[in-house]
Amino acid sequence: DSKEHSRKQQRAKRNGCTTIQIEEKKAALKKDDRNAYRVRFYIISLFINAKMCVKARIRDMFKDILKISQDDEFINSSEADPTTIAQFFEHGTPTPNLTDLHFDLLGDPDSTWNTMVFDMLRKEFLRREAFVQLYCLPAMSDSYIETLIKNRFIKLRLVWIQGM
């Protein structure tokens, strides 16, 4: 114990500090580490809250556009008319309409029709959130928002399939 104490003193002399000053510096570094941890934790919690907030806003947008209050009500939603989808694939018209939105529920989530619907919903989400985006952290890419929209559709589609 005394050897360790004398080593600390020798180190302190080499560094031009007293043992007490070294201990104070160590304590300050530990405090800085604690503060850095708190800041990192705060930033991570902000990111998680922002992510959850975006998911909730997407869910609310779906409810508003589809005129449902709960996921179970999506069971009553009608799918896009198969002849309309066939005409869309052949001629490119008619396209999905945001005011009377219908998904291709029997088709693949990555179908051209559904991809077009996801893009429309992404644009509508960004339009609705334009003011909020100025103050939200962190900024989220269009592809991330479209992925969240697609995942929401997949969940609703599962509810629809189970209700058939």
Side-chain angles (χ1 to χ4, degrees):
D1 198 32
S2 64
K3 286 182 182 180
E4 187 175 326
H5 182 69
S6 66
R7 271 191 247 140
K8 283 183 180 179
Q9 286 178 334
Q10 287 173 356
R11 242 184 289 142
K13 285 179 186 176
R14 272 185 267 146
N15 294 332
C17 300
T18 65
T19 307
I20 294 171
Q21 288 173 328
I22 288 178
E23 295 303 321
E24 288 174 352
K25 286 182 180 180
K26 283 183 179 178
L29 285 174
K30 286 180 182 176
K31 185 177 179 183
D32 287 345
D33 285 347
R34 285 193 304 270
N35 288 338
Y37 173 78
R38 286 184 186 130
V39 168
R40 271 185 262 134
F41 179 77
Y42 180 71
I43 290 170
I44 290 169
S45 65
L46 275 178
F47 179 75
I48 291 170
N49 287 339
K51 198 171 170 182
M52 290 171 59
C53 177
V54 169
K55 285 182 178 181
R57 289 180 183 275
I58 286 173
R59 186 174 55 246
D60 291 344
M61 180 186 68
F62 264 78
K63 288 179 178 181
D64 181 42
I65 291 173
L66 299 173
K67 296 168 183 60
I68 59 174
S69 59
Q70 294 181 338
D71 290 357
D72 292 343
E73 294 175 18
F74 190 72
I75 294 169
N76 300 328
S77 293
S78 61
E79 63 179 311
D81 181 34
T83 55
T84 303
I85 293 174
Q87 287 176 348
F88 170 74
F89 284 125
E90 288 177 25
H91 308 292
T93 58
T95 59
N97 183 351
L98 197 59
T99 57
D100 186 27
L101 192 65
H102 297 282
F103 291 98
D104 181 8
L105 294 170
L106 296 176
D108 186 47
D110 291 324
S111 72
T112 307
W113 179 274
N114 285 333
T115 302
M116 194 171 224
V117 171
F118 299 151
D119 187 54
M120 289 172 56
L121 289 170
R122 179 189 55 81
K123 288 176 183 173
E124 176 64 13
F125 177 77
L126 292 175
R127 186 193 65 75
R128 290 179 179 207
E129 299 297 314
F131 179 76
V132 177
Q133 286 291 53
L134 296 174
Y135 303 102
C136 281
L137 289 175
M140 296 181 191
S141 70
D142 288 352
S143 62
Y144 178 74
I145 291 170
E146 197 160 327
T147 300
L148 291 177
I149 289 170
K150 181 179 176 182
N151 290 343
R152 182 72 185 135
F153 162 72
I154 290 170
K155 287 180 184 177
L156 287 174
R157 182 176 178 232
L158 184 61
V159 168
W160 184 80
I161 289 171
Q162 289 172 347
M164 284 179 60

